[in-house]
Amino acid sequence: MKNRTLILSALLAGAFGTVHAAEDLSAKVEKLVASSFKPGEGQDMSRLVQDETQKLCSKYRNNPPAKDADALNKRERATIKYPDGNKLMGDWKNGEKLAKGGFGMRIGAIEPDPTAKQKGGNGGNCYACHALDPKEVAAGNIGPSLTGYGALRGASDDIVTYTYDKLYNAQATVACSSMPRMGHNGILTPQQVADITAYLVSPESPLNQK
Amino acid sequence: MKRNLTVKGMAALALALAAPVAMGEVSVEEYRAMLADKDANPGFLVIDQGEVLYKTKRGPKNASLEKCDFGLGPGKLKGAYAQLPRYFKDTKRVQDIESRLLTCTVTLQGFDEAEIKKKTFADQRYNETNTDIEMLAAYVAYQSNGMRINPPLKHPAEKEARKVGEAYFWNRHGPMDFSCATCHAEDGKRVRLQNLVNVYNKKDIQATMSTWPTYRVSHGVARNMQHRMWDCHWQMRTPDIEFGSPATTALISFLTHQAKGGTYDLPGMKR
């Protein structure tokens, strides 16, 4: 995908007015979106409004110029919030539940997630994209395998902070990452992010057992 | 349609229909193996129902859909789906099979568009049978079975739909920061155990587009591309995308052009 986007940008740059072409297309996409969703019961139109980061990643098809990528990382880093007491290693058992969950935040009039059934918060959807617990075979591969994460990296403060930050806002370090900005976008609370951090890092976690 | 379900097929079919709940993540290959006999695809029943519906006089104008023009002229169904989406002069926009069916039910039969749009998809949670528009689309699409995917790209609006459709494919929005490209722009990717089509891989996207409409085993009904567009948006946590909207039509234009040259093998059968 990277290669293709590179070739594409090169082709566009070779032609006239890269930026104009991209801006023009972005405006057309915005119009398309505005004419294809309708407000009403169960809908939340605010979800269609892009923030600066989503706009940039869309326009450059996840491959922004280095200067923009740096500014993006800085901006996203500034959003990171820590739980009260700054304890970034939470309860790995709760973290395990959250990591396995895929429920929550689906909306609309057709098949919204029933909020009444949703006691422990939104699922983190980690298994959609990552392998984690070696016993769980139904694991996706959009992101890298996290099996043995803590066993391989240890549990130093640096690793714990890196992990917490990655979960809270993946784009603080990787511009236009495919990983959702879990904390920043309100999918998970700071405490829940700390719980999943413990699930990844803690030596007791099943993820770190052979 | 002249196909009949064989006895062997019916037995396999009963198995398959009982399976979805119990079997969870069974691969399409396994379902296919169970249903080795293509005649047993329950999608054929939906096509038959669609044919009856298509030829029945209905609606305030008490007319059938037999004069509907899918681009090759009124009533010319053979090969029409293989050349969709396309620009239509009467509506002055690019339409796919389903938005065109909607146009015809309104203009020929006098149905109310807003009323039909209230319920376009069967709800699999309640074991509903297919909606009228789902059955109709399955029938009309089947008239292009075995033909090459060959959407026209002459009219400026057709070029525009494809181009803006691709740009929208990369558009990230919603609380998950997803775009279609997050899941469908690389080879060999999976969400959990579900294989994801790479729309930039010619073979991959041809295999996908040539098998829609499809019978979805996990839903127990036939599904069309408008439903798949809604389903993926739902997973992206956006509001409901509108049936036959400019965005779904632009996406379907882009996807169909990516699959150009593939051969329709209908009805499909998928998880």
Side-chain angles (χ1 to χ4, degrees):
Chain A
M1 185 179 79
K2 278 259 156 60
N3 280 341
R4 187 172 32 254
T5 356
L6 276 175
I7 292 164
L8 187 79
S9 337
L11 279 175
L12 282 171
F16 46 93
T18 320
V19 178
H20 271 126
E23 225 110 73
D24 196 35
L25 254 187
S26 305
K28 283 177 178 170
V29 168
E30 211 171 302
K31 244 183 85 189
L32 192 73
V33 171
S35 61
S36 299
F37 298 84
K38 282 223 177 83
E41 198 168 324
Q43 316 291 347
D44 175 1
M45 303 305 276
S46 73
R47 292 191 180 186
L48 300 171
V49 180
Q50 294 176 300
D51 70 4
E52 225 180 310
T53 291
Q54 290 177 329
K55 272 190 193 147
L56 192 83
C57 296
S58 304
K59 180 167 133 189
Y60 290 106
R61 300 190 179 177
N62 300 326
N63 205 4
K67 183 170 61 68
D68 291 332
D70 287 346
L72 185 157
N73 287 152
K74 280 209 194 75
R75 179 170 69 234
E76 296 301 328
R77 172 153 296 285
T79 69
I80 298 178
K81 293 189 179 62
Y82 297 108
D84 292 342
N86 276 331
K87 214 173 148 272
L88 305 192
M89 280 278 267
D91 167 10
W92 72 258
K93 286 188 179 143
N94 193 46
E96 178 176 35
K97 269 191 224 134
L98 292 164
K100 287 193 167 154
F103 200 73
M105 299 191 91
R106 295 193 194 87
I107 57 168
I110 296 178
E111 202 175 332
D113 282 334
T115 35
K117 269 209 281 177
Q118 201 181 330
K119 295 224 171 60
N122 296 314
N125 267 302
C126 313
Y127 281 96
C129 298
H130 295 285
L132 297 103
D133 187 333
K135 291 206 187 73
E136 175 59 73
V137 291
N141 65 357
I142 293 175
S145 168
L146 302 172
T147 302
Y149 185 87
L152 291 166
R153 302 189 197 204
S156 68
D157 286 352
D158 279 356
I159 292 294
V160 170
T161 307
Y162 165 78
T163 307
Y164 182 98
D165 290 356
K166 171 56 63 183
L167 301 187
Y168 195 94
N169 192 329
Q171 299 202 42
T173 41
V174 178
C176 303
S177 170
S178 288
M179 178 159 155
R181 293 169 290 172
M182 299 286 177
H184 178 55
N185 289 355
I187 301 160
L188 301 169
T189 65
Q191 187 53 53
Q192 291 170 331
V193 171
D195 290 347
I196 302 180
T197 301
Y199 175 57
L200 292 180
V201 174
S202 165
E204 287 121 76
S205 164
L207 188 127
N208 293 316
Q209 312 302 317
K210 286 253 159 64
Chain B
M1 208 190 46
K2 299 286 179 305
R3 281 170 185 270
N4 287 310
L5 293 177
T6 61
V7 174
K8 186 171 118 250
M10 283 305 262
L13 171 63
L15 230 177
L17 289 178
V21 188
M23 304 189 63
E25 300 282 357
V26 169
S27 73
V28 174
E29 277 69 25
E30 285 171 88
Y31 281 127
R32 273 215 187 266
M34 282 193 311
L35 291 160
D37 187 351
K38 192 177 185 234
D39 289 358
N41 186 332
F44 282 117
L45 298 174
V46 181
I47 291 171
D48 284 347
Q49 289 166 316
E51 178 172 16
V52 172
L53 210 54
Y54 191 82
K55 294 176 175 166
T56 305
K57 291 194 170 91
R58 299 189 312 141
K61 294 188 182 171
N62 194 33
S64 80
L65 285 169
E66 285 161 303
K67 295 232 166 65
C68 187
D69 182 356
F70 289 92
L72 303 183
K76 296 234 158 66
L77 285 192
K78 203 158 182 58
Y81 176 59
Q83 295 182 50
L84 288 173
R86 69 159 64 230
Y87 178 80
F88 287 88
K89 275 200 200 118
D90 55 352
T91 54
K92 297 193 179 56
R93 60 193 166 100
V94 175
Q95 296 188 282
D96 71 321
I97 185 171
E98 290 165 272
S99 69
R100 192 61 190 167
L101 269 166
L102 194 57
T103 299
C104 286
T105 50
V106 172
T107 56
L108 298 178
Q109 300 183 306
F111 282 111
D112 181 49
E113 176 164 338
E115 204 50 49
I116 295 178
K117 275 191 175 175
K118 276 189 197 152
K119 177 73 183 171
T120 47
F121 309 134
D123 193 329
Q124 76 285 354
R125 292 170 302 173
Y126 309 113
N127 295 320
E128 289 178 3
T129 51
N130 275 117
T131 62
D132 291 355
I133 202 142
E134 284 175 323
M135 293 186 217
L136 288 166
Y139 165 66
V140 175
Y142 186 66
Q143 309 315 307
S144 289
N145 191 33
M147 296 182 193
R148 296 257 178 208
I149 301 175
N150 190 23
L153 199 55
K154 280 210 195 85
H155 196 278
E158 290 162 353
K159 293 182 185 157
E160 186 76 358
R162 171 193 168 162
K163 193 169 97 191
V164 180
E166 179 172 22
Y168 179 58
F169 186 85
W170 290 86
N171 189 64
R172 298 184 68 167
H173 55 188
M176 295 289 177
D177 291 325
F178 287 153
S179 69
C180 313
T182 306
C183 295
H184 297 297
E186 280 184 78
D187 282 338
K189 291 296 176 190
R190 290 190 322 269
V191 159
R192 291 232 161 203
L193 293 182
Q194 295 155 32
N195 294 320
L196 299 168
V197 56
N198 174 5
V199 307
Y200 289 100
N201 177 321
K202 192 100 196 156
K203 279 226 171 80
D204 223 16
I205 188 67
Q206 285 178 338
T208 286
M209 297 307 282
S210 62
T211 45
W212 284 85
T214 193
Y215 185 80
R216 273 198 74 180
V217 179
S218 62
H219 288 191
V221 286
R223 292 298 193 193
N224 306 320
M225 219 9 115
Q226 288 286 341
H227 182 269
R228 189 67 247 184
M229 296 299 99
W230 170 82
D231 193 335
C232 281
H233 278 88
W234 174 74
Q235 293 289 1
M236 291 164 80
R237 274 74 172 169
T238 70
D240 293 320
I241 192 157
E242 254 207 278
F243 185 91
S245 64
T248 51
T249 310
L251 278 173
I252 293 169
S253 294
F254 166 59
L255 297 172
T256 312
H257 279 285
Q258 291 300 98
K260 197 176 160 165
T263 304
Y264 277 113
D265 182 12
L266 300 173
M269 165 100 79
K270 299 182 195 241
R271 184 189 64 85

